[in-house]
C-alpha cells in the first residue's frame, strides 16, 4: 500500500523479502548442500558457484517465514509474495545472463552477481518486484514475437525501381465477388487475417529452435504412472528465468465463471483449467494442440457431457441451487486473429512431477498489454466477455458484479506463462500443480510442498 506522505512515497518492503535477506546476509555457504548437489548432477565441487548456492538457499527461505506469526492470518498473501520473490530472482538472473546452471555461473557471471540480485530483492518493494517481473517477461515475449514475425511474414521481392513489395495476392474474378466465394472480402464483423507463409506447425517449431535455441515438443511422458499421458518437452536448452511456454485458451474473469463449460463442476471433465491468484481462470481445452494456420479464433467448442441418469427427490433449496448453478450460454463475443502455429503454446500439457522429483518450471502471471497490436497474434488467448476489469464480490459459492473499471488503466489480457526455475536441456517440463487439499486429489498426485498447497488455497 502506498503512503500519502508528502516526504516520501513508497511501498513497504515485503516481510518475506526482509527475512530472506536477513537469512542470507549472515549465512555461509553450506558445503554439505553443495556436496548433495554435485552428487545429484555429477559435477565437481569447483564447478558449482557459491553464488548459485546462495540463490538456491534464498528460494528455500520461505519455509522459515511460514512459521512466523506475522503471516499466520494471511497465508495466501505469504505464498503470493514468496512466488513473486522467486520470479523476481529468476527473471533478474535471466536478465543478467545469470542462471542456476553452474556452466553459466562459472564462465560468465562475476562473483557478485548473485549476491547483487539477492540484495536487490531485499530492497525492492512487492509492487516494484511485480513490475520488474512483468517488464522482463514482456521483453522475452516481444523477442519471441519478433522471431515469429520473421519466420511467418511473407517474402518480399524487389521491383525494377529497387523498392520492396510483398508478394501480391492472387487476383480475384468478378464472378467470385458476385457469388460471394471464399476469397471475397471479409465480412464487416470478421477480422482480416493477414497473409503468412504456408508453413506447418512442425516447420515453424524447427525454425524457431534454430533462432531461439529451444522449442517445445509433445511426446509420451516419462513420468511412471498410467495417467501421465503426453508430456511437454523442451527441445534444445534454456537458462533459468526463461519464458518456456504460454498457457493458451479462453480467459474467464470471476464475472463470467458461469459461462465456463460444465459449471459449477467445471473440472469434472476438464483437466486443462488453471487459476491465477486474482481469480482469473484459463480454460486450455479449446486450444488443444494448436493448428497449422493463422485464423480468427473464438475459443468455441462443445465438450462431451455425461448425463446423470440417477433420479433423486429434490427440495426447494436443491432446485434453487440447480437453477443458480446452471451454466449460462453465450460465446462472450471473443474473436481474435491468432497464430495457431505457436510452438510455445503448450503450457497446459506440462505434467506434475513424480514423487521425489522437483518441478523445473513455475507459473508466472503475465498481463499482456492489448495496445501491443503487432504482438497480439502470438499470445494464444482470448478473453470471454468484456476484457475490462469487472469488480466482483463473493457470497458463499457465488460471485456477483459490483461495478466496472474506471477506464483509466490500459486494457490487458490476464494470461499465464511458464518460467524455467533452472537451466534445462532436452527434458520434460514439470509443473507443480498445487492442487487444493480441500478436495479429493488424484492417486497420482504427490504434493511437492504440502504447506505451499495449503497456503495457496487458504
Amino acid at each position: 500500500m502506498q503512503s500519502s506522505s508528502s516526504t516520501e512515497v513508497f511501498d513497504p518492503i515485503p516481510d518475506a523479502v526482509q527475512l530472506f535477506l536477513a537469512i542470507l546476509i549472515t549465512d555461509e555457504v553450506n558445503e554439505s548442500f553443495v556436496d548433495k548437489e554435485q552428487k545429484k548432477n555429477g559435477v565437481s565441487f569447483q564447478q558449482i558457484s557459491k553464488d548459485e548456492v546462495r540463490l538456491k538457499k534464498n528460494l528455500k527461505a520461505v519455509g522459515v517465514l511460514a512459521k512466523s506469526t506475522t503471516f499466520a492470518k494471511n497465508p495466501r498473501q505469504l505464498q503470493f509474495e514468496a512466488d513473486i520473490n522467486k520470479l523476481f530472482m529468476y527473471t533478474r538472473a535471466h536478465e543478467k545472463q545469470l542462471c542456476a546452471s553452474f556452466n553459466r555461473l562459472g564462465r560468465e557471471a562475476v562473483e557478485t552477481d548473485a549476491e547483487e540480485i539477492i540484495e536487490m530483492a531485499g530492497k525492492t518493494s512487492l509492487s516494484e518486484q511485480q513490475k520488474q517481473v512483468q517488464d522482463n517477461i514482456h521483453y522475452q515475449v516481444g523477442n519471441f514475437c519478433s522471431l515469429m514475425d520473421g519466420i511467418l511474414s511473407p517474402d518480399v521481392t524487389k521491383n525494377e525501381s529497387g523498392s520492396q513489395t510483398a508478394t501480391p495476392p492472387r487476383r480475384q474474378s468478378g464472378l467470385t465477388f458476385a457469388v460471394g466465394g471464399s476469397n471475397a472480402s471479409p465480412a464487416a464483423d470478421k477480422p482480416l487475417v493477414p497473409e503468412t507463409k504456408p508453413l506447418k506447425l512442425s516447420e515453424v517449431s524447427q525454425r524457431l529452435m534454430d533462432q531461439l535455441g529451444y522449442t517445445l515438443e509433445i511426446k509420451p511422458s516419462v513420468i511412471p504412472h498410467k495417467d501421465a499421458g503426453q508430456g511437454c518437452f523442451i527441445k534444445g536448452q534454456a537458462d533459468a528465468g526463461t519464458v518456456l511456454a504460454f498457457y493458451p485458451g479462453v480467459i474467464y474473469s470471476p464475472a463470467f465463471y458461469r459461462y465456463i463449460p460444465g459449471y459449477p463442476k467445471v473440472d469434472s471433465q476438464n483437466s486443462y483449467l488453471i487459476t491465477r491468484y486474482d481469480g482469473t481462470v484459463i480454460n486450455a481445452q479449446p486450444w488443444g494442440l494448436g493448428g497449422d494456420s493463422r485464423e480468427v479464433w473464438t475459443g468455441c467448442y462443445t465438450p462431451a457431457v455425461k448425463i446423470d441418469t440417477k433420479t433423486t427427490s429434490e427440495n426447494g433449496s436443491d432446485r434453487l441451487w440447480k437453477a443458480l448453478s446452471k451454466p449460462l450460454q453465450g460465446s462472450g463475443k471473443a474473436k481474435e486473429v491468432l497464430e495457431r502455429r505457436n510452438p510455445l503454446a503448450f503450457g497446459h500439457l506440462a505434467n506434475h512431477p513424480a514423487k521425489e522429483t522437483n518441478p523445473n518450471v513455475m507459473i508466472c502471471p503475465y498481463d499482456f498489454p492489448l495496445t501491443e497490436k503487432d504482438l497480439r497474434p502470438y499470445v494464444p488467448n482470448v478473453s470471454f466477455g468484456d476484457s475490462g476489469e469487472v469488480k466482483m464480490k463473493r457470497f458463499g459459492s457465488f460471485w456477483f458484479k459490483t461495478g466496472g473499471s474506471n477506464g483509466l488503466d490500459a486494457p490487458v489480457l490476464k494470461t499465464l506463462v511458464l518460467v524455467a526455475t533452472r537451466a534445462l536441456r532436452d527434458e520434460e517440463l514439470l509443473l507443480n500443480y498445487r492442487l487444493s487439499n480441500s478436495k479429493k486429489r488424484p492417486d497420482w498426485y504427490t504434493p511437492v510442498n504440502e504447506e505451499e498447497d495449503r497456503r495457496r488455497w487458504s
Side-chain angles (χ1 to χ4, degrees), residues 75-95:
R76 182 183 177 88
Q77 179 64 21
L78 161 63
Q79 193 57 54
F80 173 71
E81 286 194 14
D83 287 350
I84 293 298
N85 186 251
K86 288 180 182 180
L87 290 166
F88 176 78
M89 300 279 283
Y90 288 132
T91 55
R92 285 293 295 178
H94 180 273
E95 184 180 347

Side-chain angles (χ1 to χ4, degrees), residues 127-431:
S127 62
E128 183 60 27
Q129 285 189 29
Q130 290 177 276
K131 180 181 181 301
Q132 291 195 34
V133 168
Q134 288 292 307
D135 289 347
N136 187 283
I137 298 299
H138 187 63
Y139 174 80
Q140 292 190 56
V141 169
N143 181 54
F144 161 74
C145 294
S146 296
L147 293 177
M148 289 290 287
D149 256 347
I151 293 169
L152 289 168
S153 294
D155 292 327
V156 294
T157 57
K158 289 188 177 181
N159 57 27
E160 294 181 358
S161 63
S163 61
Q164 292 185 338
T165 59
T167 303
R170 186 167 60 91
R171 184 176 180 181
Q172 298 172 341
S173 68
L175 179 61
T176 301
F177 288 106
V179 301
S182 59
N183 291 324
S185 298
D189 63 339
K190 187 176 182 180
L192 178 65
V193 180
E195 181 185 0
T196 59
K197 289 181 180 177
L199 300 174
K200 293 187 177 297
L201 173 57
S202 58
E203 296 174 297
V204 176
S205 182
Q206 183 57 52
R207 296 192 186 192
L208 180 68
M209 180 179 170
D210 293 341
Q211 298 183 40
L212 190 60
Y214 68 90
T215 188
L216 299 179
E217 58 182 352
I218 307 304
K219 56 185 181 180
S221 173
V222 298
I223 297 175
H225 66 71
K226 61 182 179 63
D227 296 323
Q230 296 290 95
C232 181
F233 292 74
I234 178 176
K235 181 180 179 183
Q237 59 184 356
D239 294 339
T242 301
V243 173
L244 294 180
F246 295 92
Y247 201 96
V250 184
I251 300 170
Y252 295 86
S253 71
F256 299 103
Y257 277 176
R258 290 186 63 191
Y259 288 91
I260 301 176
Y263 179 90
K265 298 180 179 180
V266 294
D267 58 348
S268 62
Q269 299 175 54
N270 186 355
S271 58
Y272 300 107
L273 293 167
I274 195 166
T275 309
R276 297 188 3 157
Y277 273 101
D278 60 10
T280 301
V281 172
I282 302 178
N283 178 16
Q285 195 172 56
W287 185 265
L289 295 176
D292 281 318
S293 65
R294 184 172 300 188
E295 62 189 59
V296 177
W297 195 68
T298 63
C300 292
Y301 77 113
T302 303
V305 178
K306 294 181 180 179
I307 300 175
D308 187 1
T309 58
K310 295 181 180 179
T311 56
T312 57
S313 59
E314 297 179 346
N315 57 31
S317 61
D318 289 335
R319 288 191 292 272
L320 175 61
W321 167 260
K322 184 170 288 188
L324 288 174
S325 299
K326 184 179 179 180
L328 300 177
Q329 301 298 316
S331 64
K333 299 180 180 179
K335 190 180 296 183
E336 294 286 348
V337 175
L338 296 186
E339 182 52 70
R340 297 272 283 157
R341 295 166 292 182
N342 189 329
L344 302 188
F346 295 117
H348 57 306
L349 297 178
N351 275 318
H352 182 78
K355 187 176 182 180
E356 298 182 353
T357 303
N358 292 323
N360 53 28
V361 295
M362 70 180 292
I363 284 293
C364 176
Y366 169 50
D367 293 345
F368 172 75
L370 290 170
T371 52
E372 299 275 11
K373 302 295 184 182
D374 293 341
L375 312 185
R376 182 65 186 94
Y378 304 111
V379 179
N381 300 94
V382 293
S383 182
F384 188 97
D386 185 5
S387 61
E389 294 286 337
V390 179
K391 296 180 181 179
M392 299 293 294
K393 184 175 182 180
R394 186 166 185 166
F395 182 76
S397 299
F398 301 102
W399 290 82
F400 296 94
K401 296 181 184 179
T402 60
S405 71
N406 55 21
L408 297 179
D409 297 329
V412 297
L413 198 63
K414 294 191 171 184
T415 71
L416 288 169
V417 296
L418 271 58
V419 173
T421 59
R422 62 172 174 82
L424 298 175
R425 181 179 185 134
D426 297 330
E427 55 189 290
E428 184 169 5
L429 303 189
L430 301 174
L431 172 68

